[in-house]
Amino acid sequence: MAAALQAQRLFLTASTSSSSPSSSCTARRPRRSTAAPCRAALRMPSGLQASPAATAPADLALKLDWIDAPAGAPTAAAAQGGTAGERLRAVADAAADRAEMHDIIGRQRDNWNHLLLHSTNSLALAASAMAALAPVAPPTVAALKASAGALLATAAVTMAAVNRIQPSQLAEEQRNATRLWRQLERDVSYRAAAGAVVTDADVQEAMDRVLALDAAYPLPLLPGMLEKFPKTVEPARWWPRRRPQPQPLKSRRSKSFGRRAGSSSNGWTPELEEEMRGLLRVLRAKDEHQYLTVGRLVLTLNRGLAVAGPALAGVGAVAAAFIGGGDAGGWASGAAVLCGALAAAANTVEHGGQLGMLFELLRNCAGFYRKVQEDIEAALGEADPERRENGEVFETKVALLLGRSAADLRQFREMASPSFRDEDIKDYAGKLF
């Protein structure tokens, strides 16, 4: 130990004196403006003894090996990756903020639905009660019929406005948007913190998802609100459209899986491809078609009630104006009472039953199955299995999305055959919805 301490003191003394001949370096480099990696080795004689008289460490030497890295290349790549990582974290922060905004606005619009439902029904039913009491109270008939007419007119205007914006559907949009924004935040945060190199393509993909979500679930009411009574029912779309990427010439031709039936490439086998093609056919013919068909029926019913409610309240308001006018007064009173009660009933079925929310839910379910279809199409569209996502991982993801096990998907293999008719498909692909 004493020998080592003495050697250390000698080494430090020699390094601080530029003119001392007691130390010798096998390599000297001029001082650099930027830090460079260096490897140093200290060599001491094996026979060094701990003696105070040892003042000439002639055998002590310091060997320096300078390691030169390629100038500029790692620094530029690290700077570019750092910038892309910062941009990706900014996207994650924006997604978290959007999720919070949609969550707050969704709760607000759900409150709108309940408050406007009860308020409008109260207006219509109070007007009906006044119209019923007007003929039996001659001294107050003018006041009662004026009040009934005003309340029914107010109920008609309120119903028309509420039916136009469909608060229950707005609340469902915000609920679904909140879930999707949080999912995007998790994906981007995981990608930024995974330790892999973040590229500009990753940032562009995240930005495309942000813009697609903003377009699918807008925050403002006017302008920009989604059409609540579209002419054609289409699945909701909250993901960006895939850009066609040119494949290398050697990848345009599909690689062979080998002669054996069980041979695979990157987890993909001919059996798995047939399984995915059959599943794709079932998703198109059964799952997506089912939700679009039911969505059209709900939209038709909702449109009819949205017109009937204000129309009945308006007719009741007109009938209330003739209350107390001779023989027609009794009929006018009965018409006002009946129209007010029917308007309240139509409003209750439409907004109490939340038909707008139901229609949006059906659109989102159809969009969910459309996205699964596009994911399968994108995987099968890549001719080179090595360039796809691992087949076993992809199969597991699809099975989880559909609420099935990976073994359950094998039953769809026979449905990929052209001889199998769509009419013969009895089961649905999805069990989750």
Side-chain angles (χ1 to χ4, degrees):
M1 179 65 69
L5 291 175
Q6 186 175 1
Q8 183 179 10
R9 286 196 299 269
L10 291 173
F11 171 69
L12 293 175
T13 305
S15 63
T16 55
S17 176
S18 60
S19 60
S20 176
S22 61
S23 63
S24 60
C25 292
T26 60
R28 283 185 179 273
R29 294 289 296 266
R31 186 179 181 87
R32 296 191 174 194
S33 59
T34 58
C38 174
R39 182 170 61 246
L42 178 64
R43 185 176 68 252
M44 293 186 298
S46 60
L48 185 62
Q49 301 294 329
S51 174
T55 58
D59 295 333
L60 186 63
L62 178 65
K63 183 178 180 181
L64 301 176
D65 293 333
W66 293 90
I67 305 173
D68 290 330
T75 305
Q80 183 179 4
T83 303
E86 291 294 333
R87 294 171 61 193
L88 204 61
R89 281 187 285 273
V91 173
D93 293 340
D97 186 59
R98 294 281 213 292
E100 187 68 20
M101 293 167 62
H102 280 277
D103 184 41
I104 294 171
I105 293 177
R107 291 197 297 267
Q108 178 195 52
R109 291 174 177 176
D110 189 49
N111 289 335
W112 285 2
N113 183 57
H114 295 291
L115 293 173
L116 291 171
L117 168 66
H118 298 305
S119 300
T120 307
N121 285 348
S122 299
L123 290 172
L125 294 176
S128 299
M130 291 180 182
L133 293 174
V136 298
T140 59
V141 63
L144 287 175
K145 77 173 184 178
S147 299
L151 290 179
L152 284 171
T154 304
V157 174
T158 305
M159 284 183 190
V162 173
N163 294 344
R164 174 69 179 86
I165 65 175
Q166 292 290 314
S168 64
Q169 186 172 346
L170 290 173
E172 177 62 22
E173 290 175 10
Q174 308 313 313
R175 283 191 289 264
N176 198 53
T178 301
R179 180 183 65 84
L180 293 172
W181 280 113
R182 287 174 179 166
Q183 180 184 9
L184 175 59
E185 179 196 359
R186 289 193 301 268
D187 293 345
V188 174
S189 299
Y190 175 79
R191 184 73 178 92
V197 177
V198 180
T199 62
D200 291 337
D202 298 327
V203 179
Q204 185 60 44
E205 180 184 358
M207 288 295 297
D208 290 341
R209 291 180 64 181
V210 167
L211 297 177
L213 268 174
D214 280 334
Y217 302 104
L219 281 171
L221 280 180
L222 297 173
M225 182 179 66
L226 294 180
E227 178 61 39
K228 299 300 181 260
F229 301 99
K231 296 180 179 179
T232 58
V233 180
E234 295 290 338
R237 185 180 188 88
W238 58 85
W239 63 96
R241 299 187 183 277
R242 290 180 172 83
R243 301 171 182 174
Q245 297 180 356
Q247 299 180 0
L249 198 58
K250 62 180 180 180
S251 300
R252 292 178 184 174
R253 184 174 300 174
S254 178
K255 288 188 175 182
S256 173
F257 289 100
R259 296 183 179 180
R260 295 185 297 108
S263 61
S264 65
S265 178
N266 191 27
W268 286 90
T269 62
E271 292 79 10
L272 180 57
E273 285 196 353
E274 290 299 312
E275 177 182 307
M276 289 297 150
R277 289 192 179 95
L279 183 62
L280 184 63
R281 183 178 180 184
V282 176
L283 286 171
R284 287 174 178 169
K286 299 290 289 186
D287 296 82
E288 181 183 338
H289 177 73
Q290 174 198 19
Y291 283 103
L292 292 180
T293 303
V294 178
R296 293 187 189 98
L297 295 176
V298 173
L299 179 63
T300 303
L301 177 61
N302 193 25
R303 183 184 287 118
L305 291 174
V307 174
L312 288 169
V315 172
V318 173
F322 296 96
I323 295 176
D327 296 336
W331 290 99
S333 176
V337 172
L338 180 62
C339 290
L342 290 177
N347 188 62
T348 300
V349 172
E350 181 181 6
H351 298 290
Q354 299 192 23
L355 294 182
M357 179 276 295
L358 181 58
F359 171 69
E360 183 63 24
L361 181 63
L362 294 169
R363 281 201 328 124
N364 288 329
C365 290
F368 173 83
Y369 288 117
R370 175 68 63 87
K371 187 177 186 302
V372 175
Q373 293 177 46
E374 292 192 7
D375 290 341
I376 297 175
E377 289 174 349
L380 296 178
E382 175 57 58
D384 187 359
E386 297 295 336
R387 295 169 61 91
R388 303 174 185 170
E389 185 180 5
N390 183 271
E392 296 177 358
V393 176
F394 184 78
E395 182 185 24
T396 303
K397 287 182 179 181
V398 172
L400 291 173
L401 288 174
L402 298 177
R404 291 179 175 270
S405 65
D408 289 342
L409 301 183
R410 296 171 187 169
Q411 61 179 311
F412 300 105
R413 192 176 299 167
E414 61 176 349
M415 301 175 188
S417 173
S419 59
F420 199 94
R421 300 181 303 173
D422 291 345
E423 294 78 10
D424 298 333
I425 300 176
K426 303 301 181 183
D427 195 10
Y428 291 90
K431 294 295 184 180
L432 189 59
F433 300 125

